[in-house]
Amino acid sequence: MIQLIWDGLFVGSFYALIALGYSMVYGIIKLLNFAHGDIYMLGAFIGFAVLTSVGGIPASLSIGALLVVMLVSMLLTGTAGVLIERLAYRPLRGAPRLAVLITAVGVSFSLEYGISALAGPNPRAFPIRLEGNVFVLLGARISLPQIILMLIAAMLMVLLNFYVEKTSTGRAMRAISLDRNASLLMGINVNQVISRTFFIGSALAGAAGVMAGAYYGKIDFLMGFIIGLKAFTAAVIGGIGNIKGAMLGGLVLGFVEAFGAEWFGGQWRDVFAFAVLILFLTLRPTGILGQRVTERV
Amino acid sequence: MAMLEFDNVAVYYGKVQALRGISLTVEEGEIVALLGNNGAGKTTTLSTASGLVKSHSGRVSFNGTDITKAMPWNVVGAGLIHVPEGRRIFSTMTVLENLLLGGYLVKDRALVAKRIATVYELLPLLAERSTQQGGTLSGGEQQMLAIGRALIAGPKMLMLDEPSMGLAPLIVARVMQVISEIRDQGTTVLLVEQNARAALKVTDRAYVIDGGTTTIEGRAVDLLGDSRIIDAYLGA
Ligand SMILES: Nc1ncnc2c1ncn2[C@@H]1O[C@H](COP(=O)(O)OP(=O)(O)OP(=O)(O)O)[C@@H](O)[C@H]1O
Ligand SMILES: [Mg+2]
């Protein structure tokens, strides 16, 4: 039981990191950015490129190296997110939703096959592999790398939450998702805030990509596909557009998968995740935290 | 030099022409009403000035600067603040957060805090509800919040779109009183109203818009006795 909770929490924190970008972008421009999972993949490959170009890293330094590589990767994936919005989505502002959605799918393919062309279609071994002792915590097994990665994910989410709740730009992001025209009348430069949103969301996905590479040890150009769908599921579970919802949805999905795989067998893991997605889309499309607040018109 | 000037402005929504040559001026320190029936083009006029809507032809200038093609945030930065029709409060954000958003472009935080204090003094009911969600306020309170929020930007000129809409007569009177106080403190005001009687009581001059053009212009005291106004906008 406790074991399942640890497993769920671990996988869930990955989902949450990626779901955040999904949800933030949806909140602010009402776009399901299907290329978001591929930013995670891009992050892993940037980490891979940086690490291979500096050569071997002694195992004792791997955590420090991981953090540095993660920062570099976050900067670059963040920039990639900004460019994608700028070049692919912004020109379509005001165009029918479907046109933008199809563009997002196109961007997704471009990233996947672009990386495949650059790095080859075969899986690559990630240059650092986090290894560490396995602890028994509250009667269940958890490894040091798992703990470290969960802590990093938690820290990133705390920072993000602070940014969105307390800073002027964060407030502007929330304002735009509530009412874009009213935000314009506040003097908010909507383009700038949208760029920042893409930067942050993509950087978080990039961080998750590097973490996944270091944990699983293997990366490939399609690794973002399934996890992108899972992150979308997590965002829907929590209430798409809602930041806390994305975090919660990630964890819930992690638990659902861990428990589902335990009770019904590992091969049902993904089926479970998508069953939950369909269940939410039909029964409660606003998610757990969506539109709970009283409104008076 | 006029503070706000429209020179023969035309606006289209797709193929539909909403403004067909609006010309008007508002001088510094004035409070001017913009009257007209539903669909006359009042909101479109304000939205053109604030940059939400782009004009097809003509020219809009503010304090001598051409703002015809300006982005909304540049218009706000120049000190021309538009309080939109229907208040448009950020409903799930607190009263305080709404006010802080009004000061989005003000870099000096101490100045924002000072302006919020001033607004709380002018509108004490907002101070009491500082941590309440904007969407839970009554219509009159939301209107006060929308006006208060605009004041945090430090406006040179306010454009108010139907602040009396949906409010009880007593509250309308209070809103009009607040608007004249704001003018008395030196802010120029352009007031869009369907409630012509309430508007003409507090304004110096007025324009009437009909079918997307300015048709009548005059001093408020004169218009209150003008038969064209009485018949069309003041009732019998
Ligand atoms: N977004 C829009 N798309 C298409 N047509 C519009 C749009 N907004 C306004 N219009 C049209 O433009 C004309 C002017 O509308 P506007 O909202 O400026 O009028 P108004 O004087 O503010 O009316 P009201 O008193 O009802 O608020 C109307 O015919 C309206 O139908
Ligand atoms: Mg209107």
Side-chain angles (χ1 to χ4, degrees):
Chain A
M1 180 73 180
I2 302 281
Q3 186 67 55
L4 296 178
I5 292 183
W6 284 135
D7 292 348
L9 212 55
F10 178 66
V11 180
S13 48
F14 273 81
Y15 292 159
L17 271 186
I18 306 163
L20 279 168
Y22 240 116
S23 216
M24 289 170 76
V25 164
Y26 183 83
I28 205 157
I29 56 172
K30 308 292 176 255
L31 161 70
L32 294 175
N33 181 14
F34 279 118
H36 190 61
D38 300 300
I39 296 284
Y40 157 90
M41 178 274 296
L42 185 67
F45 273 89
I46 290 172
F48 172 84
V50 173
L51 283 167
T52 26
S53 67
V54 296
I57 305 270
S60 57
L61 291 179
S62 61
I63 286 290
L66 181 72
L67 286 177
V68 173
V69 169
M70 214 173 81
L71 278 181
V72 174
S73 182
M74 286 173 80
L75 277 177
L76 293 177
T77 49
T79 309
V82 171
L83 289 176
I84 290 170
E85 188 273 329
R86 204 52 222 263
L87 301 175
Y89 302 148
R90 193 177 299 179
L92 292 176
R93 236 184 256 163
R97 292 274 275 283
L98 188 61
V100 196
L101 210 61
I102 291 170
T103 306
V105 174
V107 172
S108 166
F109 283 139
S110 311
L111 287 173
E112 286 169 9
Y113 292 95
I115 290 294
S116 162
L118 282 175
N122 298 320
R124 293 302 195 89
F126 205 73
I128 38 178
R129 184 80 199 267
L130 282 183
E131 267 150 17
N133 299 334
V134 174
F135 295 94
V136 175
L137 201 60
L138 302 173
R141 291 153 50 84
I142 183 162
S143 70
L144 187 61
Q146 285 183 319
I147 296 179
I148 291 172
L149 294 182
M150 281 197 282
L151 285 179
I152 296 176
M155 198 190 66
L156 288 173
M157 286 190 254
V158 168
L159 281 178
L160 175 74
N161 201 53
F162 175 82
Y163 185 76
V164 171
E165 291 296 325
K166 299 287 183 235
T167 68
S168 166
T169 309
R171 201 179 298 124
M173 287 176 181
R174 287 182 285 136
I176 295 172
S177 38
L178 286 171
D179 187 337
R180 159 146 1 159
N181 274 345
S183 305
L184 285 168
L185 296 182
M186 302 298 108
I188 296 170
N189 181 334
V190 167
N191 291 337
Q192 189 185 62
V193 176
I194 290 174
S195 285
R196 288 184 192 171
T197 306
F198 267 84
F199 185 91
I200 293 171
S202 306
L204 291 176
V210 172
M211 283 159 59
Y215 182 76
Y216 295 110
K218 224 174 59 179
I219 60 176
D220 69 82
F221 72 101
L222 288 177
M223 66 190 273
F225 178 69
I226 286 284
I227 202 151
L229 287 178
K230 297 271 181 80
F232 170 61
T233 306
V236 170
I237 291 176
I240 195 149
N242 184 314
I243 304 272
K244 292 213 176 73
M247 300 183 191
L248 181 69
L251 297 182
V252 168
L253 185 62
F255 289 134
V256 165
E257 285 192 7
F259 282 88
E262 170 74 11
W263 292 334
F264 299 92
Q267 70 274 28
W268 294 100
R269 183 176 276 269
D270 293 351
V271 176
F272 244 93
F274 298 126
V276 171
L277 172 63
I278 292 167
L279 213 66
F280 264 92
L281 283 178
T282 41
L283 297 182
R284 192 171 163 79
T286 53
I288 300 174
L289 295 186
Q291 284 169 21
R292 244 190 356 183
V293 222
T294 44
E295 262 178 67
R296 197 156 144 176
V297 184
Chain B
M1 178 184 63
M3 183 149 234
L4 180 71
E5 182 163 4
F6 272 66
D7 183 13
N8 203 21
V9 173
V11 169
Y12 287 82
Y13 292 108
K15 289 198 181 70
V16 182
Q17 186 165 13
L19 301 187
R20 343 177 150 255
I22 294 278
S23 295
L24 59 84
T25 55
V26 181
E27 300 294 331
E28 182 164 4
E30 258 193 322
I31 175 162
V32 174
L34 196 56
L35 310 175
N37 290 325
N38 288 113
K42 307 180 293 298
T43 298
T44 306
T45 302
L46 298 197
S47 300
T48 308
S50 51
L52 292 181
V53 168
K54 293 287 168 247
S55 62
H56 174 259
S57 60
R59 182 185 142 102
V60 186
S61 60
F62 180 65
N63 267 336
T65 316
D66 187 340
I67 56 165
T68 317
K69 293 190 164 58
M71 297 308 265
W73 48 88
N74 294 328
V75 175
V76 172
L80 177 58
I81 311 294
H82 176 176
V83 179
E85 189 172 356
R87 349 306 181 194
R88 305 290 276 270
I89 296 305
F90 298 103
S91 58
T92 57
M93 297 168 94
T94 65
V95 166
L96 179 60
E97 281 188 305
N98 270 279
L99 293 174
L100 286 168
L101 279 164
Y104 182 76
L105 286 180
V106 184
K107 289 292 160 255
D108 180 353
R109 289 189 187 198
L111 184 58
V112 171
K114 205 178 109 204
R115 284 181 184 159
I116 291 180
T118 315
V119 164
Y120 280 165
E121 230 166 85
L122 177 71
L123 305 165
L125 63 98
L126 292 183
E128 291 161 28
R129 290 169 167 65
S130 167
T131 58
Q132 195 172 320
Q133 279 192 359
T136 63
L137 300 182
S138 75
E141 291 163 347
Q142 289 195 10
Q143 188 58 58
M144 297 301 188
L145 176 54
I147 295 173
R149 184 174 66 176
L151 292 177
I152 310 298
K156 293 192 175 76
M157 175 169 173
L158 273 187
M159 301 188 291
L160 300 146
D161 197 346
E162 300 203 35
S164 75
M165 189 169 60
L167 304 184
L170 216 60
I171 313 290
V172 173
R174 173 73 187 123
V175 170
M176 293 300 159
Q177 184 196 348
V178 167
I179 293 170
S180 9
E181 278 172 34
I182 290 169
R183 195 282 290 267
D184 293 344
Q185 283 160 21
T187 309
T188 309
V189 177
L190 179 60
L191 174 63
V192 162
E193 265 303 337
Q194 285 203 42
N195 187 339
R197 195 179 300 275
L200 289 173
K201 271 188 211 151
V202 296
T203 48
D204 305 323
R205 277 190 313 125
Y207 289 88
V208 175
I209 301 191
D210 191 8
T213 40
T214 25
T215 51
I216 303 171
E217 185 269 332
R219 294 196 311 154
V221 281
D222 298 338
L223 293 179
L224 275 168
D226 187 317
S227 61
R228 293 170 302 173
I229 300 285
I230 294 172
D231 294 344
Y233 303 103
L234 296 178

